Amino acid sequence: MNTQGKQSEEGVVQVPASNGGPLVAAFGLTMLFAGLLTHVMVSILGAVALLAGLVGWFREVLPHEAHTPVPLEKEEIAIAPPITKVRHLAVAQLGNRARLPLEIYPYSAGVRGGLVGGAAMAVLAILYGLIGHKSIWYPINLLAAAGSAHISAMSYDQLREFNLTGLVLATIIHTFGSALVGLLYGVALPMFPRRPLVLGGILTPLFWSGILYAEMGIINPVLQQRIDWKWFIASQFAFGLVAGFVVSKHERITTMQHLPFAVRAGFEAPGLGGEKGGSESEK
């Protein structure tokens, strides 16, 4: 900082002169205290260095601060040439950006896959009831307990018996749940370009089982208390592989994300084109 606020006309500026006094004074102060642990001569040497540094320091600032001239350098400012042409980007037309996936499965394929996968899951659930509890109605009533407080309060022996309400509720819950998860498979499988059946049949059941493991106490407390997780995860893998196989056998269709909403909704009106949202003259 230039404390005098003066700048010469010869293209130089006055700045505070460099001074080694503070460094020498700091070194002397350090030696002064180090001598308390080592030898008195070290303290004496430190006191001399401290005094010399303080004298040299104050002589540079009192009675007037010492300055040194520094030449000024003018910066060359390059002015960019004016832009003579403007290129306009056509917005909302096909080809401006990548939209992935390029092809998807029909939603109906996901629903069909979910229903078939749900049937495979039901077979494993019935086997679990026969092998583990000698009753095919036990897993059915456990699933129905999610929608009935009466079934939730049943004892173990009552859960092993036939219950018409439990059968209807379990059928509704299982059918709708399988269709919704199958729809998820239909949407997710195109995201796996390599081996979609293997990845979709392994990764998705693992994620789904983890979510249900964390939320089962809220969704179905009775099932949480009595569930056999080995059979449950096996049924999830059966669902994933079967549903993924059924979905992957369907023919993919091209996505229509680049088309206007009216075209995707099936409306017919003048000015709606099948490519790039119509021609420029129609807009």
Side-chain angles (χ1 to χ4, degrees), residues 19-20 50 83 115 126 135-136 138 169 200 213 215 235 241 254:
N19 184 11
L50 175 61
I83 301 177
L115 294 177
I126 292 175
S135 173
I136 64 173
Y138 183 77
L169 284 177
Y213 180 82
E215 303 294 336
S235 65
L241 292 175
T254 305

Side-chain angles (χ1 to χ4, degrees), residues 213-250:
Y213 180 82
E215 303 294 336
M216 187 63 72
I218 301 175
I219 300 173
N220 194 338
V222 177
L223 185 58
Q224 171 70 19
Q225 297 172 1
R226 302 176 183 272
I227 191 172
D228 189 329
W229 284 104
K230 294 180 181 178
W231 279 91
F232 181 82
I233 295 177
S235 65
Q236 296 297 321
F237 276 106
F239 177 90
L241 292 175
V242 173
F245 176 79
V246 173
V247 173
S248 63
K249 289 302 180 180
H250 285 74

Side-chain angles (χ1 to χ4, degrees), residues 116-176:
V116 178
M121 186 190 306
V123 171
L124 283 182
I126 292 175
L127 288 177
Y128 161 69
L130 288 174
I131 296 174
H133 303 277
K134 309 301 181 183
S135 173
I136 64 173
W137 308 112
Y138 183 77
I140 295 175
N141 291 327
L142 281 183
L143 179 60
S148 173
H150 173 69
I151 300 177
S152 299
M154 286 183 176
S155 63
Y156 173 75
D157 293 332
Q158 291 175 329
L159 291 174
R160 295 174 68 243
E161 298 176 355
F162 170 75
N163 186 284
L164 180 59
T165 303
L167 178 61
V168 174
L169 284 177
T171 303
I172 295 174
I173 294 173
H174 188 66
T175 302
F176 279 92

Side-chain angles (χ1 to χ4, degrees), residues 2 6-15 68-75:
N2 188 3
K6 296 181 179 179
Q7 180 174 333
S8 62
E9 298 180 358
E10 289 79 9
V12 297
V13 62
Q14 300 293 333
V15 299
T68 181
V70 175
L72 295 176
E73 296 181 0
K74 294 184 179 180
E75 182 181 359

Side-chain angles (χ1 to χ4, degrees), residues 23-50:
L23 181 61
V24 176
F27 175 76
L29 183 62
T30 303
M31 297 293 291
L32 179 64
F33 285 101
L36 300 177
L37 302 175
T38 56
H39 196 273
V40 65
M41 292 302 298
V42 178
S43 296
I44 295 175
L45 178 61
V48 174
L50 175 61

